[in-house]
């Protein structure tokens, strides 16, 4: 349960509240990915991506206090998520250690602990590094690399922690930065593209693995124990000596000639579907898309795309949505597109499970990009479009052959007409994409497609396959096409930014309750949005609260990997602390129509019949919600 308009809580003493190890540990565990990302951004780029990852994890794991201690003199509003002083303490420790790690070693005196290679965690035989982002992320990484560590810390605190400059000054000073003003001035030299800091490029918790230098490792192996460890880590890729069977049995050694593998890399064996196959097919999915584009006959381009898919080199930036394997195709994939898109040559392939996009510079310079996304079981609206490319904040789509019309629609302007998008051989004209937007959310462009089944709305969430948007009761979802459905999505469109690059298949918005506000100012809407993923797990649920006249819905609660608000269990219960215009605080809670009663425990004990509850409360209240359904079953509130 989250609150709106909650004033900062003052420290209990001039030195700050006392933080014990349990409180700090709870904050560290809850916000571990956020803290590791912060450390990764501050650490010196000269360490290399692999060592930065391990060092960021090591510094974060060493941030716990040894006993009870006092937080630095930082006001409560700058302590981070939830105003937690425990989080403020571990953040300061992580920042201090990351800044110390970038200091040069001195001949005299012992080095600081952060300057030494981390003892734990360690990974042998593999190089771990974050997944590659796009051109914008690469440019930002290069600009941050040119800054000193305090300036990188200032930029990260502004963008990742969303702190104003006054709070950034206090946090940097508490972390030991001597010249805070200089750090802020240098951070001003990098454009404020803060939304990119949440991309996979800067996420040291979502990693790719590659082997280390195999030849050097073999040359330097001195003992059988080291050889056995290397074989175990690399997956026992070779057969055991002496003619015995290896763990892979009769499988061919790595890189040996194999008919199936060679067939998958032969551009002459690519599957090409007839342009009219979809008209008689029993299903409308990617398997009946014809090959389109002006380069479908460029054998050399197709050969390069297949070879890079099987063996991406050092200059290839590989990205994949969560749960998507990046290995080569098991057999000849299907060609969906090969052509020129803006300043790149692009090839789109489909192997039944994944959509793969290969792109290389049109001018012949080195470097390429390889992107993967799950698309298994896609049909109908889910297979209506794929992303061909993004450039200058715009996106182009390749649409299915059965799509008869495309348009751009701003979800935040439900009364406005959709703007038609022209198409050439299925390729749309460019439209502004919300996937790379940073700063305030004032619009959310979506792709509106029309086919023989109706009108569908799809949203670019930074992946190859746009997410299908629906509205209505779980299990009875309908298209976002009519005025009522468009108005239902308008206050919650910006919440789609919370599920970017998460492998999202579809997002449904369901207005599960309406509640009259206790001050008589009107009625508020309770809406839950549920983002389903292609991999099945990792679904994200947001319960949002929208008051009359408000532009955006406020997130009251969120959860991941729960059945709530879904077809299996549509029940949902959430609460929010709300401040009336006259200054009175209330705890408001709401469940679905099947909720018979709601009660609160913890900081406030109250109960009420029906599916909504409104009771007076105090600022900063923490309470637990429980609900009882009409059938007697109990449900808990989302947090």
């Amino acid at each position: 349960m989250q609150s709106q308009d909650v004033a900062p809580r003052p420290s209990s003493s001039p030195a700050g509240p006392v933080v014990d190890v349990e409180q700090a540990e709870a904050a560290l565990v809850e916000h571990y990915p956020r803290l590791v990302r912060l450390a990764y951004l501050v650490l010196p780029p000269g360490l290399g991506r692999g060592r930065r990852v391990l060092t960021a994890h090591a510094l974060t794991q060493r941030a716990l206090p040894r006993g009870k201690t006092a937080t630095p003199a930082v006001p409560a509003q700058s302590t981070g998520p939830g105003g937690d002083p425990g989080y403020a303490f571990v953040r300061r420790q992580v920042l201090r250690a990351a800044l110390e790690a970038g200091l040069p070693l001195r001949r005299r005196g012992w080095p600081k602990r952060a300057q030494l290679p981390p003892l734990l965690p360690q990974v042998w035989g593999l190089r771990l590094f974050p997944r590659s982002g796009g051109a914008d992320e690469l440019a930002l990484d290069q600009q941050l690399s040119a800054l000193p560590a305090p300036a990188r810390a200032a930029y990260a605190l502004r963008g990742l922690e969303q702190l104003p400059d006054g709070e950034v000054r206090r946090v940097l000073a508490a972390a030991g930065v001597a010249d805070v003003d200089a750090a802020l001035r240098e951070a001003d030299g990098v454009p404020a593209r803060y939304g990119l800091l949440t991309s996979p490029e800067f996420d040291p918790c979502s990693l790719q693995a590659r082997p280390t230098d195999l030849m050097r490792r073999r040359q330097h192996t001195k003992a059988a124990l080291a050889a056995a460890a290397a074989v175990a880590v690399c997956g026992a890729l070779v057969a055991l000596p002496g003619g015995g069977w290896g763990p892979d049995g009769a499988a061919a050694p790595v890189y040996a000639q194999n008919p199936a593998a060679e067939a998958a890399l032969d551009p002459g064996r690519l599957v090409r579907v007839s342009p009219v196959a979809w008209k008689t097919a029993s299903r409308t999915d990617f398997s009946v898309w014809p090959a389109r584009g002006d380069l479908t006959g460029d054998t050399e381009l197709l050969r390069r795309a297949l070879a890079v898919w099987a063996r991406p080199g050092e200059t290839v930036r590989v990205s994949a949505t969560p749960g998507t394997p990046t290995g080569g195709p098991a057999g000849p994939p299907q060609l969906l597109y090969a052509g020129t898109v803006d300043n790149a040559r692009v090839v789109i392939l489909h192997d039944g499970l994944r959509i793969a996009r290969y792109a290389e510079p049109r001018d012949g310079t080195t470097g390429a990009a390889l992107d993967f996304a799950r698309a298994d079981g896609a049909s109908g609206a889910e297979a209506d479009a794929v992303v061909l490319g993004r450039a200058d904040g715009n996106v182009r789509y390749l649409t299915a052959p059965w799509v008869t019309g495309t348009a751009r629609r701003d979800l935040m302007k439900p009364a406005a007409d959709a703007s038609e998008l022209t198409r050439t051989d299925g390729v749309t004209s460019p439209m502004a994409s919300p996937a790379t937007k940073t700063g305030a959310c004032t619009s959310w462009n979506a792709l509106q497609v029309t086919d023989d089944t109706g009108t569908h709305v799809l949203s670019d969430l930074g992946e190859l396959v746009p997410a299908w948007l629906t509205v209505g009761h779980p299990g009875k979802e309908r298209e976002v096409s009519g005025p009522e459905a468009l108005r239902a999505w308008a206050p919650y469109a910006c919440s789609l930014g919370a599920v970017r690059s998460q492998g999202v298949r579809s997002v449904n918005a369901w207005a599960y309750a309406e509640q009259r506000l206790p001050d008589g100012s009107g009625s508020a809407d309770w809406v839950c949005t549920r983002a389903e993923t292609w991999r099945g797990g990792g679904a994200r649920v947001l319960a949002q609260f929208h008051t009359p006249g408000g532009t955006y819905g406020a997130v009251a609660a969120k959860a991941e990997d729960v059945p709530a608000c879904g077809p299996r269990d549509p029940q949902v219960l959430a609460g929010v602390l709300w401040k009336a215009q006259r200054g009175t605080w209330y705890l408001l809670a709401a469940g679905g129509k099947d909720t018979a009663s709601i009660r609160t425990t913890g900081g406030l004990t109250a109960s009420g019949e029906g599916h909504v509850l409104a009771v007076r409360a105090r600022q900063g209240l923490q309470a637990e919600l429980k609900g009882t359904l009409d059938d007697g079953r109990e449900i808990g509130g989302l947090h």
Side-chain angles (χ1 to χ4, degrees):
M1 181 177 63
Q2 298 184 6
S3 62
Q4 293 182 311
D5 302 329
V6 179
R9 181 179 57 190
S11 299
S12 60
S13 68
V18 173
V19 177
D20 59 25
V21 68
E22 290 82 6
Q23 187 178 5
E25 182 181 17
L28 179 65
V29 171
E30 181 179 0
H31 303 292
Y32 184 81
R34 183 189 190 102
L35 292 165
V36 177
R37 189 188 293 261
L38 181 63
Y40 181 83
L41 288 166
V42 178
L43 283 169
L47 292 176
R49 299 177 75 195
R51 186 175 171 190
R52 278 172 72 190
V53 165
L54 297 181
T55 304
H57 282 275
L59 298 182
T60 305
Q61 292 172 14
R62 294 204 301 256
L64 289 178
R66 298 184 181 276
K68 289 191 176 182
T69 186
T71 57
V74 179
Q77 62 265 30
S78 67
T79 56
D84 180 9
Y87 177 79
F89 178 83
V90 294
R91 181 179 63 188
R92 185 200 67 174
Q93 297 296 92
V94 169
L95 270 177
R96 182 185 294 274
L99 292 168
E100 290 177 347
L103 297 176
L105 291 173
R106 298 180 178 178
R107 293 185 177 182
R108 296 182 179 181
W110 291 97
K112 297 180 180 293
R113 186 181 182 187
Q115 295 176 281
L116 300 174
L119 296 177
L120 290 173
Q122 291 287 349
V123 178
W124 295 90
L126 289 175
R127 291 186 296 111
L128 300 179
F129 48 89
R131 294 178 303 170
S132 300
D136 293 338
E137 288 85 348
L138 177 60
L140 178 60
D141 189 32
Q142 292 173 342
Q143 291 171 324
L144 293 177
S145 299
L147 296 179
R152 288 196 302 272
Y155 191 91
L157 290 171
R158 284 171 169 174
L160 195 62
E161 298 288 280
Q162 298 181 354
L163 298 181
D165 281 0
E167 304 308 317
V168 173
R169 293 174 185 274
R170 294 183 177 93
V171 174
L172 289 179
V177 175
D179 194 344
V180 175
D181 291 334
L184 290 171
R185 286 195 302 270
E186 291 167 327
D188 289 335
V190 177
R193 310 182 71 182
Y194 298 139
L196 297 179
L197 297 181
T198 61
S199 70
E201 174 80 21
F202 306 108
D203 184 4
C205 290
S206 181
L207 303 172
Q208 294 187 105
R210 291 290 186 273
T212 54
D213 190 329
L214 300 178
M215 293 299 297
R216 179 174 296 180
R217 191 170 70 197
R218 177 175 295 178
Q219 293 169 357
H220 290 190
T221 300
K222 299 297 183 179
L225 182 60
V231 171
V233 172
C234 294
L237 299 179
V238 296
L240 294 176
W245 288 105
D248 290 336
V254 178
Y255 303 116
Q257 292 183 347
N258 180 281
E262 289 180 344
L265 300 178
D266 184 357
R269 299 194 182 187
L270 283 171
V271 177
R272 299 170 186 255
V273 176
S274 166
V276 296
W278 64 272
K279 295 182 178 180
T280 57
S282 59
R283 294 184 59 194
T284 51
D285 57 16
F286 290 117
S287 67
V288 292
W289 276 36
R292 287 169 287 177
D294 59 334
L295 298 178
T296 55
D298 190 336
T299 303
E300 294 304 315
L301 170 64
L302 300 178
R303 188 185 307 278
R304 289 195 298 272
L306 292 169
V308 170
W309 186 351
R311 303 183 306 277
E314 291 292 334
T315 61
V316 179
R317 298 180 66 83
V318 181
S319 69
T321 56
T324 305
T326 59
Q334 177 187 350
L335 177 63
L336 303 185
Y337 181 87
T340 304
V341 181
D342 297 320
N343 294 319
R345 288 186 287 264
V346 175
V347 179
I348 305 290
L349 302 165
H350 179 237
D351 68 350
L353 171 68
R354 301 165 291 176
I355 296 290
R357 176 186 179 272
Y358 168 81
E360 64 180 27
R362 186 179 177 181
D363 58 8
T365 55
T366 60
L370 185 62
D371 307 304
F372 297 94
R374 287 274 294 268
D376 44 315
S379 63
E382 297 172 336
D384 271 353
V386 296
V387 171
L388 271 186
R390 299 184 184 89
D392 300 324
N394 295 323
V395 60
R396 289 183 186 267
Y397 294 96
L398 176 67
T399 58
W402 54 83
V403 170
T404 57
T406 54
R408 176 190 63 81
R409 176 174 288 283
D410 187 349
L411 290 179
M412 297 188 68
K413 298 179 176 64
D417 294 332
S419 303
E420 182 181 359
L421 289 177
T422 60
R423 288 185 301 152
T424 303
D425 197 20
V427 179
T428 69
S429 56
M431 59 174 276
S433 170
T436 57
K437 182 183 298 184
T438 58
C441 180
T442 57
S443 64
W444 194 277
N445 288 332
L447 175 68
Q448 180 174 287
V449 296
T450 303
D451 56 28
D452 57 1
T453 64
T455 300
H456 319 287
V457 175
L458 311 172
S459 179
D460 181 14
L461 297 182
E463 304 169 9
L464 291 180
V465 182
W468 178 27
L469 304 185
T470 57
V471 65
H473 191 285
K476 301 177 183 177
E477 301 90 345
R478 61 186 187 277
E479 299 292 342
V480 184
S481 55
E484 181 183 352
L486 290 170
R487 285 194 299 270
W489 254 109
Y492 313 104
C494 289
S495 67
L496 291 169
V499 292
R500 288 174 179 157
S501 303
Q502 297 299 315
V504 174
R505 182 173 191 157
S506 62
V507 186
N508 182 60
W510 173 41
Y512 68 90
E514 182 179 355
Q515 183 176 24
R516 292 197 61 80
L517 296 173
D519 66 348
S521 59
S523 296
D525 294 321
W526 289 89
V527 171
C528 68
T529 55
R530 181 179 176 91
E532 300 286 359
T533 67
W534 290 98
R535 62 190 182 277
R540 295 194 175 190
V541 178
L542 297 180
Q544 300 185 66
F545 178 72
H546 182 228
T547 54
T551 303
Y552 309 101
V555 176
K558 55 187 175 181
E560 186 173 346
D561 274 330
V562 296
C565 197
R568 288 182 54 193
D569 187 5
Q571 305 302 331
V572 60
L573 175 62
V576 66
L577 280 177
W578 177 76
K579 185 179 181 181
Q581 294 179 356
R582 296 183 177 179
T584 305
W585 287 88
Y586 292 90
L587 185 150
L588 306 180
K593 299 296 184 183
D594 296 334
T595 305
S597 63
I598 301 174
R599 63 186 183 276
T600 68
T601 58
L604 175 66
T605 302
S607 62
E609 298 297 323
H611 70 288
V612 295
L613 176 68
V615 293
R616 286 202 175 192
R618 66 178 185 278
Q619 181 181 357
L621 172 73
Q622 297 290 329
E624 293 291 328
L625 291 176
K626 295 290 184 181
T628 302
L629 303 179
D630 290 336
D631 60 6
R633 183 163 60 96
E634 289 196 351
I635 59 173
L638 296 180
H639 297 286

